[in-house]
């Protein structure tokens, strides 16, 4: 996707920028602390497991990216397992698991744990890699569980009475939710330090213009 790729830590710290050479390939040598890293190619990204002594060759179709990644060489075994995990993780995160009841969600989580552990059932895999992947699995499952619980809690609020509020109006005076009783109320919560929030303000203004004169009030907090 680009004429260079970036190798970074998982938290985004740049380790190396590798530019396309005259032969049309990306090639470089890195000295690393053993562990997980990330390779970025434009908007696409994938994880890598690197340690000194590995000699990895990667082939892929950048248009398909994750679906086409294949590693060869020393260190290929761990990275092919990693590529398979990333591909399967996408399917799990895209699933409508928040719509499941508690028993079905528990089965969903247990199935993912079993699949992740089965992928590591190979005595040729690096033991440090296995430990890292087991930790990743538990963190991933905890993340899915937290998201599920938050969604379930939010769903319980549907069709319940809204809590009230009272805020100072930028035009002067104060406004309560009760002041808008009988109207639809669209509440937009944003912050001055939040770039994406401010970027959405023009879109909100367009929505306000579209519904001008209708039985709806827009409250920006």
């Amino acid at each position: 996707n680009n004429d260079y790729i970036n190798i970074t830590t998982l938290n985004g710290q740049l380790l190396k920028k590798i530019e396309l050479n005259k032969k049309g390939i990306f090639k470089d040598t890195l000295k690393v602390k053993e562990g997980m890293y990330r390779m970025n190619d434009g908007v696409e990204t994938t994880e890598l497991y690197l340690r000194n002594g590995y000699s990895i060759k990667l082939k892929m179709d950048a248009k398909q990216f994750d679906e086409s990644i294949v590693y060869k060489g020393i260190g290929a075994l761990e990275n092919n397992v990693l590529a398979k995990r990333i591909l399967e993780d996408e399917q799990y995160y895209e699933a409508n698991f928040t719509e499941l009841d508690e028993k079905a969600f528990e089965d969903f989580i247990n199935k993912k744990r079993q699949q992740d552990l089965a992928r590591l059932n190979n005595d040729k895999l690096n033991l440090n890699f296995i430990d890292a992947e087991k930790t990743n699995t538990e963190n991933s499952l905890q993340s899915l569980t937290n998201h599920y619980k938050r969604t379930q809690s939010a769903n319980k609020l549907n069709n319940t009475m809204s809590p009230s509020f009272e805020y100072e109006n930028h035009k002067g005076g104060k406004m309560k939710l009760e002041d808008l009783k009988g109207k639809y109320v669209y509440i937009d919560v944003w912050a001055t330090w939040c770039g994406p929030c401010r970027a959405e303000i023009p879109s909100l203004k367009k929505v306000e213009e579209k519904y001008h004169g209708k039985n709806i009030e827009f409250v920006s907090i």
Side-chain angles (χ1 to χ4, degrees):
N1 293 305
N2 276 336
D3 56 2
Y4 68 91
I5 56 175
N6 285 332
I7 308 297
T8 70
T9 61
L10 290 185
N11 62 12
Q13 182 179 355
L14 181 65
L15 182 68
K16 196 99 181 233
K17 178 180 180 180
I18 305 176
E19 297 184 355
L20 196 68
N21 67 21
K22 294 180 180 179
K23 294 182 178 180
I25 62 174
F26 299 104
K27 184 176 182 179
D28 214 321
T29 300
L30 302 91
K31 292 183 179 180
V32 298
K33 179 180 178 181
E34 181 177 355
M36 295 290 187
Y37 293 87
R38 190 172 292 281
M39 184 188 76
N40 303 288
D41 173 30
V43 297
E44 297 283 6
T45 183
T46 190
E47 291 179 43
L48 297 170
Y49 188 79
L50 302 178
R51 65 179 301 197
N52 295 329
Y54 275 4
S55 180
I56 307 169
K57 291 184 178 181
L58 163 63
K59 276 193 175 183
M60 71 171 181
D61 179 345
K63 293 181 180 179
Q64 292 184 307
F65 211 79
D66 288 335
E67 293 81 357
S68 66
I69 289 177
V70 176
Y71 297 96
K72 292 183 179 180
I74 303 170
L77 180 60
E78 288 78 12
N79 283 284
N80 282 323
V81 169
L82 188 55
K84 186 176 181 181
R85 187 261 287 171
I86 292 170
L87 197 57
E88 292 180 356
D89 273 359
E90 286 182 5
Q91 298 170 357
Y92 266 91
Y93 280 100
E94 290 172 358
N96 295 323
F97 62 89
T98 56
E99 299 175 6
L100 301 174
D101 60 36
E102 290 187 10
K103 176 61 170 62
F105 177 73
E106 184 178 346
D107 292 341
F108 173 84
I109 287 294
N110 288 335
K111 182 180 178 182
K112 185 179 190 314
R113 179 180 283 110
Q114 290 170 6
Q115 285 186 349
D116 285 359
L117 294 179
R119 205 181 298 117
L120 302 174
N121 189 21
N122 186 335
D123 57 12
K124 293 183 180 179
L125 286 170
N126 179 296
L127 294 178
N128 292 334
F129 172 77
I130 291 175
D131 288 342
E133 279 296 275
K134 285 182 177 179
T135 298
N136 177 79
T137 290
E138 293 309 316
N139 290 340
S140 174
L141 295 178
Q142 188 61 56
S143 177
L144 290 170
T145 300
N146 291 343
H147 181 55
Y148 177 79
K149 288 181 177 179
R150 285 195 299 268
T151 303
Q152 297 305 304
S153 295
N155 288 343
K156 291 178 181 178
L157 295 175
N158 289 340
N159 299 314
T160 63
M161 185 67 70
S162 170
S164 185
F165 62 78
E166 182 180 71
Y167 284 102
E168 291 185 11
N169 193 317
H170 73 96
K171 293 181 179 179
K174 292 187 176 182
M175 174 172 285
K176 295 181 180 180
L177 180 60
E178 288 82 356
D179 296 335
L180 306 174
K181 191 171 183 179
K183 297 182 178 181
Y184 292 102
V185 181
Y186 183 108
I187 300 176
D188 176 52
V189 183
W190 64 287
T192 54
W193 47 260
C194 175
C197 300
R198 297 199 307 273
E200 286 298 317
I201 291 176
S203 298
L204 178 61
K205 288 182 177 179
K206 288 182 180 179
V207 174
E208 290 178 344
E209 293 171 0
K210 179 179 179 180
Y211 288 93
H212 183 72
K214 304 289 185 180
N215 187 36
I216 184 170
E217 290 286 346
F218 292 86
V219 180
S220 192
I221 298 175

